[in-house]
Amino acid sequence: MNKENDIYGCVHSIEPVGAHDGPGLRTVVFLSGCPMRCKYCHNPDAAVGGGARMSAKEVVDRCLKDRAFTNGVTLSGGEPAMQRRFALEILKSLKRRRIHTALDTSGSVYDEEILKACSLVILDIKHTDAAAFENLCMHGADNTFKTLAYLKKNRIPFWVRQVIVPGITDGEENLKNLAQLSVGAEKVELLPYHTMGIAKWEKLGLDYPLKGVPAADDALMKKCNEIFSKYSKGE
């Protein structure tokens, strides 16, 4: 690829060995920018933009350095699909090299071409109720549910994730709906809400919307996993 024809984008950071962003150990590339403003966002600095300007070739070359001891590359963010051409070029270039690629996305930007370019899509469903979703993320749920439908229809491997926030996403109705929506997923992860992102909000001079909401403890996570399991088995 000639330098003058390369595609450039904004990279928040690159984690050389991530263990929680797809199957196995991953190189995780965090792209800047996100249309959502989730109340519990732990990467608000990535969501609002900023970072290093890099070419797609530079990103791919950086990922190739980790190839010997990782299982693939995950694009995360922010919302990777916000930088459409940049993300696509990275994914397609890695695919040509037969490297497993995962997209960690909220589905907030609906893009069929990006979805088709991935080996795996990790879809973060913020809430199953449209009104509660919008209240939590300051963004509508339509694209997320549309993304999920496309993954199922086209048999693209996908995981489902949801952050369990006390008093917001820990309700039985939400977990029941999530179990129904997750049919066909290779894996479902309920992630405990934590407060480690508060310092980043404060550093940016932003008020943290969920101040006072406690982290999800082991007892709550056990309860939520039991409820989810019950409905995923059709009980």
Side-chain angles (χ1 to χ4, degrees):
M1 186 182 297
N2 296 326
K3 185 176 180 180
E4 59 269 23
N5 295 326
D6 208 348
I7 297 170
Y8 285 78
C10 191
V11 177
H12 173 266
S13 57
I14 297 177
E15 183 178 346
V17 184
H20 306 288
D21 302 275
L25 299 177
R26 321 282 299 175
T27 301
V28 188
V29 181
F30 296 90
L31 302 187
S32 298
C34 184
M36 289 185 170
R37 290 296 178 264
C38 298
K39 292 180 178 179
Y40 58 75
C41 180
H42 66 278
N43 279 331
D45 44 340
V48 299
R53 184 173 184 267
M54 297 179 68
S55 70
K57 183 179 185 303
E58 287 174 321
V59 173
V60 171
D61 287 346
R62 172 62 189 81
C63 293
L64 291 176
K65 291 181 180 180
D66 304 328
R67 189 175 187 178
F69 51 89
T70 59
N71 301 92
V73 176
T74 298
L75 290 191
S76 187
E79 171 51 63
M82 282 279 286
Q83 299 188 60
R84 183 179 191 276
R85 293 179 66 242
F86 187 50
L88 261 176
E89 183 61 29
I90 294 169
L91 290 168
K92 288 182 176 181
S93 182
L94 292 169
K95 187 175 184 178
R96 287 194 295 270
R97 291 166 171 81
R98 298 182 179 180
I99 294 174
H100 185 280
T101 56
L103 180 76
D104 187 353
T105 178
S106 64
S108 54
V109 177
Y110 180 72
D111 194 304
E112 295 178 0
E113 191 173 1
I114 285 181
L115 297 176
K116 287 188 292 186
C118 302
S119 309
L120 171 72
V121 175
I122 303 171
L123 183 62
D124 186 356
I125 300 178
K126 307 294 183 176
H127 204 294
T128 60
D129 177 79
F133 186 114
E134 186 165 358
N135 180 265
L136 181 62
C137 304
M138 312 303 290
H139 192 280
D142 288 353
N143 280 348
T144 297
F145 296 142
K146 191 176 177 182
T147 294
L148 178 62
Y150 184 84
L151 295 172
K152 292 183 177 183
K153 180 180 178 181
N154 292 276
R155 298 182 179 180
I156 297 172
F158 70 98
W159 293 4
V160 167
R161 282 180 169 173
Q162 186 172 97
V163 177
I164 298 301
V165 185
I168 298 178
T169 57
D170 59 343
E172 183 162 352
E173 188 66 20
N174 171 63
L175 293 166
K176 175 183 177 181
N177 293 337
L178 186 66
Q180 294 170 346
L181 289 171
S182 300
V183 172
E186 292 186 346
K187 185 177 182 178
V188 178
E189 296 180 317
L190 302 183
L191 306 177
Y193 164 73
H194 61 73
T195 59
M196 291 184 287
I198 294 179
K200 292 184 180 180
W201 283 72
E202 293 176 344
K203 187 175 181 179
L204 292 170
L206 302 172
D207 291 328
Y208 188 67
L210 298 184
K211 191 170 290 185
V213 176
D217 59 22
D218 291 344
L220 178 62
M221 294 308 299
K222 182 175 184 293
K223 175 185 175 183
C224 289
N225 276 292
E226 287 174 350
I227 293 172
F228 179 86
S229 179
K230 177 179 72 172
Y231 286 112
S232 65
K233 294 175 181 176
E235 295 180 18

